[in-house]
């Protein structure tokens, strides 16, 4: 069975695709990276810090896969450990303290599933991010730029506005993981991708995301410029909203309704 959905999965996994750090470099100025979760270590799979969008100071956080084999090994191919999620949460709470909007770029096949990550509280780290992002009292915008799979993606995607690149995917699990669980056969990933409704069009129809950002026929610089323009406009709108937390809560209550 041919699957357009699985073709998109393979496309966003390409080492040539723009990563989260590429979006930071292409959209923001004066980026100053901050490190560490103040508990255990720094996680290179999540890059975050302070930057400027036009003349607006923001906190920007991205899941980073890397491009080369060496970079992907160093960054665990964009599969964050618990200290990565705790670092992200530390930066978001800092942003709230100083009144900075939070912008996240999501690109992961899921949180790192090693024994060490589980021992250090992977599930709790993800759950804390979900809870804290829901009540963060500054604007949050999340952009899915590649893979957005499992709770590892959702942990940086609880936001007032959630956007997806045209070829990005968003799902509760990777197609391979789904096929392994349902049929005990990872080779049926293409079939699983069809069942998961993981394309941007599916997510928009289900009310999971708010907008699809076009990318076909556009250069990376053109995509960056488009995202930058949309971010500036959305932040201008959200900054005037005095009911961010209540509306964010209702946004997620409406999904599936």
């Amino acid at each position: 069975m041919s699957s357009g959905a699985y073709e998109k999965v393979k496309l966003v996994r390409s080492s040539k695709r723009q990563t989260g750090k590429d979006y930071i470099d292409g959209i923001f100025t004066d980026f100053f990276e901050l490190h560490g979760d103040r508990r255990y270590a720094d996680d290179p799979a999540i890059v975050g810090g302070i930057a400027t969008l036009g003349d607006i100071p923001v906190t920007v956080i991205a899941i980073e896969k890397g491009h080369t084999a060496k970079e992907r090994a160093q960054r665990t191919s964009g599969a964050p450990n618990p200290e990565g999620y705790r670092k992200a949460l530390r930066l978001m709470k800092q942003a709230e303290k100083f009144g900075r909007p939070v912008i996240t770029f999501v690109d992961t096949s899921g949180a790192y599933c090693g024994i060490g990550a589980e021992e250090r509280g992977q599930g709790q780290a993800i759950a804390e991010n979900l809870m804290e992002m829901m009540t963060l009292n500054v604007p949050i915008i999340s952009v899915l730029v590649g893979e957005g799979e499992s709770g590892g993606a959702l942990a940086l995607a609880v936001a007032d506005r959630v956007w997806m690149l045209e070829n990005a995917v968003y799902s509760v699990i990777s197609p391979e993981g789904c096929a392994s669980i349902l049929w005990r056969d990872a080779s049926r990933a293409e079939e699983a991708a069809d069942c998961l409704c993981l394309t941007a069009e599916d997510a928009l129809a289900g009310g999971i995301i708010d907008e699809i950002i076009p990318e076909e026929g556009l250069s990376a610089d053109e995509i960056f410029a488009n995202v930058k323009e949309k971010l500036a406009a959305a932040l201008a709108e959200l900054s005037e909203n005095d009911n961010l937390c209540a509306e964010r809560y209702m946004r997620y209550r409406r999904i599936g309704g």
Side-chain angles (χ1 to χ4, degrees), residues 178-237:
C178 177
S180 297
I181 292 171
L182 289 183
W183 305 303
R184 299 188 180 184
D185 183 1
S187 68
R188 296 176 67 177
E190 190 171 339
E191 184 179 350
D194 280 332
C195 300
L196 286 168
C197 299
L198 47 68
T199 68
E201 291 80 9
D202 292 325
L204 184 64
I208 297 167
I209 65 168
D210 304 293
E211 187 172 345
I212 298 173
I213 297 173
E215 56 178 308
E216 289 297 327
L218 300 177
S219 68
D221 287 340
E222 288 172 324
I223 295 173
F224 296 156
N226 187 19
V227 174
K228 181 176 182 178
E229 182 180 348
K230 290 181 179 295
L231 286 172
L235 288 181
E237 177 186 344

Side-chain angles (χ1 to χ4, degrees), residues 231-248:
L231 286 172
L235 288 181
E237 177 186 344
L238 292 169
S239 66
E240 301 296 323
N241 192 332
D242 295 326
N243 298 301
L244 282 174
C245 292
E247 292 187 14
R248 190 181 305 145

